[in-house]
Amino acid sequence: MVLLQALSVVLMMSTLALLWIKPIGTAIKILSAQSLILGLMAILIAVRTATPDLYIMGGLTILMKAIGIPWILWCTLRKVGMKRETEKLVGRELSILCGGALLAIGYIVTARLHLSALNLGREYLPISISMLLIGLFIMMTHQKAIMQGIGLVVMENGLFMVALVTTYGMPFLVDIGVFLDVFVAVILISMLTYRIDKTFQSTHTENLRRLRG
Amino acid sequence: MVAFLSVAVPTATGVLALLIQRAWLREMIHLIGSIATTFIGFLLVWKVTLHGPMTSQNQFFHIDALSAVILAIISIVSLTTSLHSIGYIRHEQQEGLLNVRQTRQYYMLYHLFIATMVLVAVVNNMGLLWVSIEATTVVSAFLVAIYKKGEALEATWKYLMICSAGIAFALLGVIILYASSIAKLGSNNQVLNWTVLSNSHLVLQPDLVALSFVFIMVGFGTKVGLAPMHFWLPDAHSQAPSPVSALLSGVLLNCAMLGLIRFGIVAENTIHGQLIEHLFIGFGLLSVVVAFPFILVQKDFKRMLAFSTVEHMGIIAVALGIGGSLGYAAALLQMFNHSMGKSMLFLTAGNVNQKYKSKQMPRVFGVLRAMPFTGFVFLVGTLAITGVPPFNIFTSEFSIFVAGFRQGHAVTTSVLILFIAFIFAALMFHMMKMIFGEDVRERMTKGEVSRWTAIPLVLPLFFVVIFGLYMPASFTHLIHQASLVLAGGSRV
């Protein structure tokens, strides 16, 4: 239980760290670490509750989200140039501040929720909700295509954790389906990033401003 | 078994289309696969109309009258776009806009796209309903990106990002609903099934269900293209190859709407309040209102049609919010009629685009003169889509107005009528300049781009014209059955 709590704190820190770091390569590493922690949490919960499905889900999380997705993103980054740094509309200090505010929102919102079916303690739900929100925040404020993709994966990680702590995961087939969708979405994101880079000589989404009205 | 085939056949066709090297054989497979998909779709519709809902493959598939309406739409529109695709893709290849590899990818993705949409209609588990709607996004995003141009990339990027982020919130809604359903029914694999959740006696925790539905409304609403989450829609619709635009507008949005409807029914069983009604009417009305100025100032005709789609999705949402047996039936009828009209218009827009090599309205004159058949279909489609009698959309829109006044939504309905009239004027203004008029700068060579892109238009044209005048009894029976599912016995 203590281990689970410690892991969830690390998870939160890693999400906030995404708002701070500059090199995109580091962001991918953090994303990988985050997914690894999430996978470990799923396995821990599987041990506690003796649900065989969760072992598989934990294993798949580590395999696909901690290894597969970061690897794909890493390859894309290598193709468009390793030295890329993040660029955003909001400065890092303000970003961290917003991250803190979103964390607070996570706590306030979930405190009012009457979840009688809550399987694990209340302490995990706010963290997962704020992960979802911070993921959205990353997608909205970052201007590099890859970072927006990372934001999407953070959102999905948050959702996976919501499901994990409220209902010990979704029905097995649904979880597999969600995984598959995320995986294909990341492949598409990598492909598009590469093509955007080739077309505009930059992965800056500022270039994507031609279609209006 | 038939339900399984309805998903398996398009999937297999897609894989074969990628593997086959020879162009004529690939087109043949594409043709056979499309016809088989349509045939199976109609077989399912026919079975459901005769025998009522059916469940198969260990509760994995469930097909009721609602699914049947969507399946009918998928079957008709996909057959039309398949036939049109052959001519369209050949032309793009001749012009050097697509290479052989892209063509193979196109045919594969096209059929996978149809497979995911069929899955949306036939799947029982509501979590998998979410999965298949997200799958349609991912697959169709590849299709939107098939032209390797800057604008197409931009449209794809926006489409993928906005829809994925939006639909993530819908997943949150699904998780909350699942938690609430587990609390009531205990933990087993069936608790997220439509067959379990649609039971009108099932009362879950009201506050959780309300919260869950708000998330789902925002999430699936993004995918349906309701304002203010519609920003991806005009980009994706205008940049995709025209047969894909027709599928996006005519079929995909209806599939997302089906998701919204299904979750709405489940929520309605628990919260009988006005929340659901207000959400549908609010988002719907906003979409109609927002669409008008964008249609008025539009320069690109495919974008204009896309905004008209936003308008029609809004009308459908308002009709669903109005409810009552007439409102529900009219909403479903509007879904069907809009699919026919709008897919036809997007296909003709594709023909015009290929002929004039431009999507800009100021560059297109005298379509009726240059391409008599396409011009004629363009004209009929425009009249139909703006709700002019005696075409099919007039019937459904008129029913929606009647239902609105009858259910005591006088103000809502009045605003709706007002803006539909505005949009009629704006669309007519733009379209008439394109259809009639004469190009003074250069004379176009007369004639269609190809037979493949012209003749398939007869199919939707048939429904647009005939269903305005006469609807077969079996079809009205199907719509009635579906509206009964929608009413769920609760709020008729």
Side-chain angles (χ1 to χ4, degrees), chain B residues 363-439:
Chain B
R363 293 203 190 160
V364 179
F365 288 98
V367 177
L368 202 55
R369 217 174 270 264
M371 297 193 276
F373 181 70
T374 297
F376 169 70
V377 177
F378 214 26
L379 181 63
V380 173
T382 310
L383 292 173
I385 213 75
T386 46
V388 174
F391 301 111
N392 60 353
I393 291 177
F394 170 75
T395 325
S396 44
E397 281 183 358
F398 190 73
S399 316
I400 292 170
F401 302 152
V402 172
F405 285 117
R406 213 187 268 173
Q407 299 281 323
H409 291 281
V411 179
T412 306
T413 316
S414 307
V415 175
L416 189 67
I417 294 175
L418 188 68
F419 274 88
I420 288 176
F422 282 162
I423 289 171
F424 163 76
L427 263 174
M428 279 299 162
F429 170 71
H430 287 309
M431 294 299 257
M432 290 309 138
K433 277 204 289 195
M434 284 163 58
I435 294 170
F436 301 104
E438 202 171 340
D439 198 339

Side-chain angles (χ1 to χ4, degrees), chain A residues 148 181 184 195 208 210 213, chain B residues 131 138 145 148 154 157 303:
Chain A
Q148 293 182 5
D181 280 342
V184 181
R195 277 206 211 153
L208 306 180
R210 272 198 264 172
Chain B
V131 170
V138 178
K148 296 186 163 123
E154 175 181 350
W157 188 256
R303 278 182 91 79

